[in-house]
Amino acid sequence: MALQQSEGVLSAVSSTKDVELAAQELARQLIHPYLGFVLFFCSAEYDLDGLGQALEAHFGGVSLVGCTSAGEITPQGYGRGCVVALGFDLRCFSIASVLIDEMERFNLLDAQQLVDGLVKDCRSNELASIKGHSFALTLLDGLSSREELVLGALSAALGSIPHFGGSAGDDNHLTHTHVYHGGRFHSGAAVVVLFNTWLEFEVFSTHHIQPSAEKLVVTRADSATRRVYELNAAPAAQEYAELIGVPVEALDLRAFAAYPLAVRISDHYYVRSIQQVHDDLSLTFYCAVENGIVLTAMRPGPLLPNLAQLFAGLEQRLGPLLLTIGCDCFLRRLEIENDGGVESVATLLRQQRVIGFNTYGEQFNGMHINQTFTGVAIGRPVGRGER
């Protein structure tokens, strides 16, 4: 694949399924004397043990972090069944990372110690002050059901440091998702990455979902498993199917993407996407659900104009973009594919230098959300390390 090169960041992609060749291709495209850190997203179809070992071997001591995906965003647009990577120049970025291997036991004290360690590591390179020049990325096991627990503690510890992220996917199989740290893939785990840079950046989140008048009340749920048994005191799947006007047998991922539900907090709506329907007519969600919450029926609006408006604002504030790391919900991609809008959206993503992945959930400043496009936009450098 051709190399996309910009000051401060290199991007690379490999579509070969041979893990040794894939690692070789990425290394050939990314390695240079100032390579300080590599971030990657890969299909879960790879031999993950083999890929992890090959990457560790070919990048010779460079820190690597990544996760499995439900689709990739490459320099060419949307990808499927590949691995895409970013290489960060240590003259522009000071980056530290850490693994959370027991998400269910993670607490505020753990979070504070974790953040203190990341800040200390980034500060040691004396690139830029931490305050105002740092952002954090979280990559979480997308099937752990522990995202809210981890994010709540991390958000408190990070304080004014903006943060975003995505939940790892597995090509829509909903069976095994993984994050990568320390030379191997992990399940039931999370990775936190702190970026410190003198470049201008902005962490953002956007969605194109609009509220309608219909409401559903969660009347019986198991919050630990995110499983809802009753909506409006009726079997959950039955009530939801009646709301959207289809038989229960027609409920699938595309229906969930087209007819999401959301929780209203103040004037903002936070989507709670449905993951699957069960034989007992219960529904499992991607985000936290509890007894008594009111869910608002939502409808997708125009997706492409929403994205175009987002990037117009980012360019106005940051100038031409060096890179956007994007966490794009896989349900948005299903919607785009269903509507035949893949090429137009892919063109915009290419133009805006978006690299990222399709997620099983997004994270934005402590919130766990669905059906959003969330990430960080980084402005072009005005000089190489002259700050």
Side-chain angles (χ1 to χ4, degrees), residues 35-301:
L35 179 65
F37 187 87
V38 172
L39 173 67
F40 73 90
F41 310 106
C42 70
S43 166
E45 300 298 325
Y46 279 96
D47 166 13
L48 295 181
D49 288 340
L51 180 62
Q53 294 169 11
L55 288 171
E56 190 73 7
H58 283 282
F59 279 93
V62 176
S63 294
L64 291 103
V65 160
C67 71
T68 55
S69 70
E72 301 76 48
I73 306 174
T74 79
Q76 289 77 41
Y78 284 121
R80 186 79 74 184
C82 63
V83 53
V84 62
L86 290 165
F88 294 86
D89 191 316
L90 55 78
R91 295 169 295 180
C92 298
F93 297 90
S94 178
I95 304 174
S97 67
V98 67
L99 177 75
I100 302 171
D101 58 1
E102 292 186 334
M103 294 173 70
E104 66 278 1
R105 298 183 182 179
F106 192 71
N107 58 38
L108 182 56
L109 179 60
D110 296 328
Q112 193 60 64
Q113 293 174 341
L114 179 153
V115 171
D116 288 345
L118 292 174
V119 167
K120 182 179 179 182
D121 287 349
C122 283
R123 187 176 280 144
S124 66
N125 294 320
E126 300 181 345
L127 201 61
S129 61
I130 296 297
K131 186 175 182 180
H133 297 278
S134 304
F135 62 88
L137 164 68
T138 49
L139 300 174
L140 309 182
D141 181 331
L143 298 177
S144 68
S145 298
R146 296 293 183 270
E147 290 96 330
E148 287 84 7
L149 176 74
V150 171
L151 289 172
L154 276 177
S155 184
L158 286 165
S160 63
I161 297 174
H163 49 286
F164 76 99
S167 298
D170 66 346
D171 299 283
N172 304 357
H173 296 306
L174 302 175
T175 53
H176 298 95
T177 57
H178 297 81
V179 297
Y180 179 92
H181 188 272
R184 65 188 185 90
F185 285 90
H186 308 260
S187 60
V191 174
V192 185
V193 188
L194 185 64
F195 293 76
N196 177 238
T197 180
W198 48 265
L199 297 172
E200 298 292 329
F201 64 84
E202 183 177 325
V203 172
F204 64 83
S205 182
T206 189
H207 68 79
H208 64 302
I209 311 296
Q210 301 170 351
S212 61
E214 297 94 344
K215 310 285 185 185
L216 296 172
V217 179
V218 177
T219 48
R220 187 162 75 91
D222 180 352
S223 58
T225 60
R226 299 173 176 168
R227 193 159 172 172
V228 174
Y229 293 91
E230 291 183 0
L231 292 168
N232 296 345
Q238 177 183 311
E239 193 73 3
Y240 174 74
E242 288 181 7
L243 173 76
I244 67 175
V246 303
V248 170
E249 296 75 23
L251 295 180
D252 59 14
L253 290 176
R254 296 190 185 279
F256 302 151
Y259 300 97
L261 303 171
V263 174
R264 181 177 178 178
I265 301 175
S266 298
D267 292 329
H268 298 282
Y269 289 90
Y270 297 95
V271 174
R272 294 288 182 262
S273 293
I274 300 170
Q275 184 185 98
Q276 57 185 310
V277 59
H278 300 279
D279 292 339
D280 63 357
L281 300 184
S282 64
L283 298 170
T284 298
F285 284 70
Y286 281 102
C287 282
V289 285
E290 297 177 0
N291 285 313
I293 66 169
V294 178
L295 296 170
T296 299
M298 308 288 283
R299 299 289 186 273

